[in-house]
Amino acid sequence: MLSTACSSTVRAPAEQLAATSVQTQQALLQALPPTTQAASLQQWWQAQGDPALLQLISAAQAVSPGIAQAWANIETARAARVSSGAALLPTLDATASASRARSQPGMPVSNSGQAGVQTSWEIDVFGAGRASRDASQASLDASRALWHDARISVAAETATQYVNARQCQLTLALTRKDSESRQETARVTALSVKAGVASQNQLVLSQAAAAEGNNRSLQQQAACEVERKALVALTGLPETEVATLLQQAAAQSVWQPVGISSLPASVLNQRPDVYAAEQEMTAAYAEISAAQAQRYPRLTLTGFVGRARLDSGATELTGPSWSLGPVNLTLPLFNGGRLAANVDAAEARYLASASNYQAKVRQAVREVEEALVNLRSAEARQQDAALAARSYAAHAAQTASRYQQGMASLFDLEDARRSAFAAELNESTLQSERRRAWIALYRAAGCGWSTQAALPAAAVMSAGSATSATSAQNSQ
């Protein structure tokens, strides 16, 4: 299935334009993505149990220019679909005309008038209109999928920025704690110098360490302000409201990603961008049929029904009036190669869309594989990072106790403190890295998936199969 995902091309049966088989295509695309289920994205984030994150995502989607543009594209494609469908139906127009004339010298002036409805219908004998309608429908489906993709992208971007802001808050708390500890050491050392227990060199070193800790705290505070302003720009909310949400979220535990090592290859069906690329390819194929049909005869039927009035001197006639025809048959004979060029251009657009579809599928496989690798790596390192943080914290506490008893130098204390701070910061950063990998997997999988899906082992895409995917692709 993974090699299939890297080599699939087209659903339309155009063997002269695509090299892969329909069976390969159908093995990957077995169902439509949930592009119309707008509520599924919000429900997925609600399940994480973080109301602040959900509120930020909703606000970001409400002001996103990308989502607004995608919605405008849907409306444009819908209008084009209505227009192409209307071309298959007869047109009906109300008409009215009046004239006054003298046909010959000496004859009385005649007045005539006519009113009724006129119809015209181009019979779609060779399917040009139906092909254009199908192309418009495929373009509309692609636009809807891209709208869903824009919503997913905004949600993932906002969630990632939220995780970064939360991590910055945690780092700031650790930095302030370290700074306070350094300042307390400097204070105690100053008292020890006055008592003649510590040397002046120790005092200078402790003051330098305190200044370094305070500088790091101020730098981290500025970084947190930058992260908060990034959330303000994404969501359009006032900065005070964003700050309040972050403060409220700080009192809650951050959601923990569920461990996962593999995904079914059919998860690519959920990616709106892959589905949109497929629909664009379908539209391009339909445009080939439409361009080819323009080279065949066109049959048009017209008609009229209404009432007419004629007033010529002493004669006055009024009654129903109708006509059927003419029936026009138009056969293009010479157009300088324009129609043939249109077919060639449509075929070239189809080849480009097929290549784009292949690239989208390969990109989807790559993004899922990379997200799985990063998530698995973060999960594997988390236990070691927690153990290191606890061990270094215990070592720093013991060193501080020994320093107060005069059994350890200030150099030993600062070294133990730096190690404990780095280990605790690494544990916190690793947790945020895991959450970001989970968000990336959510984005790569196209808005969530079912972890209960029971599929055969051959249909499972694991984090360790990237090499086999590359070799399978190269063999095609």
Side-chain angles (χ1 to χ4, degrees):
M1 282 295 294
L2 190 59
S3 61
T4 297
C6 292
S7 60
S8 302
T9 54
V10 59
R11 175 171 294 176
E15 297 181 359
Q16 70 278 17
L17 298 178
T20 54
S21 64
V22 177
Q23 290 77 10
T24 303
Q25 147 73 21
Q26 292 176 346
L28 175 64
L29 298 172
Q30 299 175 352
L32 299 180
T35 56
T36 58
Q37 300 175 1
S40 61
L41 184 144
Q42 186 176 11
Q43 293 172 355
W44 196 91
W45 288 109
Q46 284 177 341
Q48 310 308 319
D50 194 332
L53 174 59
L54 184 62
Q55 184 174 345
L56 290 171
I57 289 176
S58 299
Q61 290 181 341
V63 299
S64 170
I67 295 179
Q69 180 63 44
W71 180 257
N73 292 339
I74 291 177
E75 294 300 315
T76 302
R78 182 181 290 114
R81 169 62 180 84
V82 172
S83 177
S84 60
L88 295 172
L89 304 175
T91 60
L92 189 64
D93 302 313
T95 64
S97 62
S99 64
R100 179 179 176 85
R102 185 193 299 272
S103 59
Q104 294 181 3
M107 297 295 292
V109 176
S110 63
N111 301 310
S112 63
Q114 182 175 261
V117 291
Q118 181 174 344
T119 182
S120 177
W121 182 25
E122 181 178 344
I123 304 174
D124 193 27
V125 178
F126 295 100
R130 293 190 297 273
S132 297
R133 178 200 59 194
D134 295 342
S136 299
Q137 180 62 50
S139 297
L140 175 59
D141 293 340
S143 298
R144 288 170 175 166
L146 291 177
W147 171 77
H148 197 63
D149 185 65
R151 296 179 67 247
I152 295 173
S153 297
V154 171
E157 182 181 2
T158 306
T160 301
Q161 187 59 46
Y162 174 76
V163 169
N164 292 340
R166 291 289 305 271
Q167 173 59 34
C168 191
Q169 287 181 326
L170 295 174
T171 303
L172 179 59
L174 293 175
T175 305
R176 286 175 174 173
K177 179 181 177 181
D178 178 72
S179 177
E180 292 172 357
S181 177
R182 291 170 184 264
Q183 291 175 3
E184 178 63 18
T185 300
R187 187 188 69 82
V188 173
T189 303
L191 295 176
S192 300
V193 170
K194 290 182 181 181
V197 177
S199 65
Q200 188 68 28
N201 183 49
Q202 289 178 317
L203 176 61
V204 173
L205 180 60
S206 64
Q207 291 175 343
E212 180 185 0
N214 185 62
N215 177 73
R216 184 183 301 167
S217 177
L218 293 175
Q219 183 181 12
Q220 188 63 35
Q221 182 177 355
C224 291
E225 292 181 3
V226 171
E227 297 291 348
R228 184 172 65 249
K229 292 182 183 298
L231 272 178
V232 171
L234 274 176
T235 61
L237 297 175
E239 187 168 355
T240 54
E241 184 175 352
V242 173
T244 301
L245 288 174
L246 290 176
Q247 290 176 358
Q248 294 174 353
Q252 302 174 356
S253 60
V254 185
W255 52 273
Q256 294 296 331
V258 179
I260 186 170
S261 60
S262 63
L263 288 177
S266 59
V267 79
L268 296 181
N269 295 339
Q270 298 180 168
R271 283 192 57 127
D273 57 340
V274 173
Y275 177 68
E278 183 205 8
Q279 291 305 304
E280 291 171 357
M281 183 174 54
T282 302
Y285 181 76
E287 289 174 358
I288 295 177
S289 300
Q292 290 174 339
Q294 294 295 328
R295 307 176 67 181
Y296 304 138
R298 302 172 61 184
L299 183 63
T300 306
L301 176 65
T302 59
F304 172 83
V305 61
R307 292 187 65 83
R309 181 178 181 276
L310 176 63
D311 181 5
S312 178
T315 304
E316 181 177 344
L317 300 174
T318 302
S321 175
W322 62 271
S323 66
L324 181 61
V327 178
N328 295 323
L329 182 64
T330 305
L331 175 63
L333 296 178
F334 177 76
N335 48 64
R338 176 176 57 85
L339 298 180
N342 290 342
V343 174
D344 294 339
E347 291 178 349
R349 288 192 296 269
Y350 176 81
L351 287 176
S353 62
S355 177
N356 178 65
Y357 174 71
Q358 289 179 318
K360 287 291 184 182
V361 173
R362 291 193 299 269
Q363 179 183 357
V365 173
R366 173 186 174 182
E367 291 177 356
V368 171
E369 292 284 347
E370 289 179 350
L372 284 171
V373 169
N374 293 333
L375 182 60
R376 188 177 63 176
S377 174
E379 291 173 350
R381 291 179 288 146
Q382 190 170 4
Q383 185 175 359
D384 291 337
L387 177 60
R390 291 194 301 268
S391 301
Y392 276 118
H395 173 66
Q398 294 174 1
T399 305
S401 177
R402 293 174 56 205
Y403 174 75
Q404 293 176 358
Q405 299 174 5
M407 301 176 62
S409 67
L410 187 59
F411 293 98
D412 296 333
L413 176 62
E414 290 303 322
D415 182 66
R417 181 181 288 150
R418 288 190 182 92
S419 298
F421 174 78
E424 192 172 3
L425 181 61
N426 180 65
E427 182 186 13
S428 175
T429 303
L430 188 58
Q431 292 176 354
S432 297
E433 179 183 340
R434 184 184 176 191
R435 296 185 188 100
R436 283 190 292 266
W438 177 260
I439 295 171
L441 185 58
Y442 159 86
R443 173 68 181 90
C447 188
W449 57 87
S450 172
T451 57
Q452 304 299 327
L455 290 170
V460 171
M461 181 165 49
S462 65
S465 58
T467 304
S468 61
T470 304
S471 60
Q473 178 184 344
N474 294 335
S475 64
Q476 296 295 326

